[in-house]
């Protein structure tokens, strides 16, 4: 009984926050919305180091930040989310560190399979993207189980890039495409039907046609499960892509807030989307639209947030005067 009473203010606050988010999201939706957001979750170890926390704590807090981000994305109806969870280069870290990161990943992947997990709650299908052969056996089995367990979910797609780099993805796609073409030739060779069906003069001939084309390669990219990302968010202020989605990011907005991944929050996502909307015409090569709509969106969000903060402050402290005085500092 006591427990329920103690939880009431928290529940009330949570309800208020989700109402506030719903309002802001509906205002944001006036503008063009991203279909696919990708995250480079940079700065987990630095977060722990800056706070003298144990090794690995940064990644645990980082996972909490990730679940919040996913929730906001799904509330916003962003259908595709991709995360850079572990790069092939990360295997070069100290073996104990790699092992403890893998243990954490496995624990979290197992968590995704649970009925009440964030992905099952929102009907999200999970894909593990990358050279999964490089993962240790138990993590690989968990990843495969999670893909199978969520295969019936169809509302959204979460791509978890593990043992991934873009160069590896591109090499893999080219190798697969060449192998596929070689197999086609072999079958035609054996049948004696000639190469007319695939429009080529056979292996080794130079008739001006490529052996493989763009479509073949794209067909074998790991990331073919999602459209190209509209926004890539990389924390810790870094503006490099670090071998992440290089093939897919030619028209993506890169947003790099100067915070470490565990510190990422709702407002960073809102800012990234506003930035995407501001640059939409440039990114998508569409004719420029009037900025009035965006201005209205900004004003509506800012006005609403200010009024709400003012009311909250009044409820908690009796007077809103200090709030109004400290407003310029907060903004
Ligand atoms: C379900 C699932 C797979 C969850 C992933 C959880 C999670 C937060 C992974 C982060 C992994 C990672 C190597 C981040 C980069 O930070 P860093 O370690 O490079 O930190 P630094 O930038 O401070 O060095």
């Amino acid at each position: 009984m006591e427990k329920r009473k103690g939880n009431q203010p928290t529940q009330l606050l949570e309800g208020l926050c989700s109402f506030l988010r719903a309002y802001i999201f509906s205002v944001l939706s006036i503008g063009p919305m991203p279909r696919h957001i990708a995250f480079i979750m940079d700065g987990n170890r630095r977060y722990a180091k800056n706070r003298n926390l144990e090794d690995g704590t940064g990644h645990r807090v980082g996972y909490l930040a990730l679940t919040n981000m996913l929730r906001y994305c799904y509330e916003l109806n962003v259908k595709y989310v991709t995360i850079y969870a572990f790069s092939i280069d990360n295997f070069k870290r100290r073996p104990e560190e790699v092992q403890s990161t893998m243990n954490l990943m496995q624990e979290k992947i197992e968590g995704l399979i649970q009925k009440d997990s964030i992905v099952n709650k929102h009907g999200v299908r999970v894909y593990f993207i990358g050279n999964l052969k490089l993962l240790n056996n138990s993590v690989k089995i968990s990843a495969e189980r999670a893909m199978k367990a969520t295969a019936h979910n169809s509302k959204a797609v979460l791509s978890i890039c593990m043992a991934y780099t873009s160069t590896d993805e591109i090499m893999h796609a080219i190798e697969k495409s060449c192998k596929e073409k070689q197999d086609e030739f072999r079958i035609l060779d054996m049948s004696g039907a000639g190469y007319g069906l695939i429009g080529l003069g056979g292996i080794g001939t130079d008739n001006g046609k490529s052996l493989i084309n763009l479509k073949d390669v794209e067909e074998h990219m790991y990331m073919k499960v999602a459209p190209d990302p509209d926004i890539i968010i990389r924390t810790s202020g870094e503006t490099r892509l670090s071998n992440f989605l290089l093939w897919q990011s030619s028209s993506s907005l890169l947003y790099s807030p100067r915070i470490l991944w565990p510190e990422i929050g709702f407002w960073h996502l809102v800012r990234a989307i506003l930035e995407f909307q501001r640059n939409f015409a440039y990114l998508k090569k569409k004719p420029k639209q009037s900025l009035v709509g965006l201005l209205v969106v900004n004003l509506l969000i800012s006005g609403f947030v200010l009024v709400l903060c003012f009311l909250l402050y009044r409820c908690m402290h009796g007077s809103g005067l200090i709030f109004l005085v400290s407003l310029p500092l907060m903004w």
Side-chain angles (χ1 to χ4, degrees):
M1 192 71 181
E2 248 181 34
K3 202 175 164 216
R4 265 185 67 188
K5 257 190 177 174
N7 276 340
Q8 260 179 3
T10 323
Q11 280 173 359
L12 205 72
L13 195 68
E14 271 173 17
L16 194 70
C17 286
S18 68
F19 169 74
L20 178 66
R21 282 202 303 273
Y23 174 82
I24 291 171
F25 288 158
S26 65
V27 176
L28 269 182
S29 306
I30 297 173
M33 291 300 285
R35 267 204 313 160
H36 182 180
I37 303 183
F39 294 97
I40 304 180
M41 307 180 285
D42 207 13
N44 296 284
R45 292 185 302 179
R46 275 167 283 167
Y47 176 86
K49 203 165 167 222
N50 293 349
R51 288 168 174 73
N52 291 322
L53 298 172
E54 250 179 64
D55 284 353
T57 314
H59 290 120
R60 287 197 175 272
V61 187
Y63 183 76
L64 287 180
L66 171 65
T67 47
N68 284 335
M69 262 315 118
L70 290 177
R71 185 150 45 96
Y72 304 149
C73 286
Y74 300 137
E75 284 175 359
L76 252 178
N77 288 323
V78 175
K79 182 156 184 192
Y80 299 92
V81 173
T82 299
I83 58 167
Y84 203 4
F86 201 83
S87 125
I88 291 177
D89 297 327
N90 289 151
F91 284 112
K92 292 180 198 145
R93 292 181 175 182
R94 283 182 299 117
E96 317 85 78
E97 196 186 321
V98 173
Q99 187 56 51
S100 85
T101 313
M102 283 297 153
N103 291 346
L104 173 75
M105 303 260 181
Q106 185 169 3
E107 177 192 317
K108 299 305 175 194
I109 297 168
E110 293 288 337
L112 293 180
I113 300 169
Q114 305 304 312
K115 231 182 174 171
D116 59 347
S117 71
I118 176 115
V119 292
N120 283 325
K121 250 196 253 173
H122 292 272
V124 182
R125 180 169 189 173
V126 177
Y127 286 100
F128 282 83
I129 302 288
N131 194 344
L132 302 189
K133 288 195 295 270
L134 299 179
L135 297 172
N136 72 38
N137 219 24
S138 48
V139 177
K140 198 166 65 197
I141 290 171
S142 298
E144 277 157 4
R145 277 185 55 203
M147 285 197 273
K148 207 166 159 204
T150 58
H152 59 280
N153 291 343
S154 58
K155 287 204 184 121
V157 168
L158 171 64
S159 305
I160 302 179
C161 296
M162 268 180 89
Y164 173 92
T165 57
S166 268
T167 37
D168 180 73
E169 178 184 29
I170 296 166
M171 282 304 295
H172 160 87
I174 293 172
E175 275 168 15
K176 276 264 178 189
S177 312
C178 291
K179 169 91 182 37
E180 200 176 72
K181 274 280 148 45
Q182 268 177 346
D183 290 346
E184 273 180 39
F185 279 121
R186 204 161 295 134
I187 291 168
L188 288 172
D189 263 343
M190 283 191 313
S191 71
Y195 302 107
L197 271 179
I198 53 173
L200 279 173
I203 296 178
T205 59
D206 186 12
N207 62 359
K209 287 201 176 173
S210 316
L211 182 64
I212 54 169
N213 57 38
L214 194 65
K215 214 169 129 265
D216 298 322
V217 178
E218 292 201 319
E219 192 50 41
H220 290 290
M221 297 294 265
Y222 298 132
M223 276 304 293
K224 71 161 192 244
V225 297
D228 291 351
D230 298 301
I231 305 177
I232 297 179
I233 299 181
R234 177 172 191 161
T235 46
S236 81
E238 289 285 353
T239 48
R240 289 173 296 134
L241 284 178
S242 299
N243 220 338
F244 179 57
L245 305 185
L246 300 184
W247 184 279
Q248 297 85 356
S249 57
S250 58
S251 301
S252 312
L253 174 97
L254 176 63
Y255 181 70
S256 336
R258 287 180 177 278
I259 38 122
L260 303 174
W261 174 257
E263 296 162 343
I264 195 166
F266 169 73
W267 287 109
H268 300 110
L269 184 65
V270 172
R271 283 194 186 183
I273 294 172
L274 285 172
E275 193 81 349
F276 166 75
Q277 296 184 333
R278 208 160 56 81
N279 290 288
F280 184 73
Y282 167 70
L283 292 167
K284 305 290 170 194
K285 298 186 178 72
K286 295 218 161 113
K288 256 201 169 144
Q289 284 170 355
S290 141
L291 282 177
V292 177
L294 272 180
L295 199 68
V296 172
V297 171
N298 268 297
L299 284 176
L300 279 172
I301 292 179
S302 312
F304 182 78
V305 173
L306 279 179
V307 170
L308 207 86
C309 290
F310 177 73
L311 290 176
L312 265 175
Y313 200 92
R314 267 195 76 141
C315 286
M316 290 193 299
H317 300 279
S319 154
L321 195 63
I322 304 174
F323 173 80
L324 286 176
V325 173
S326 58
L327 203 58
L329 296 174
M330 284 161 43
W331 207 243

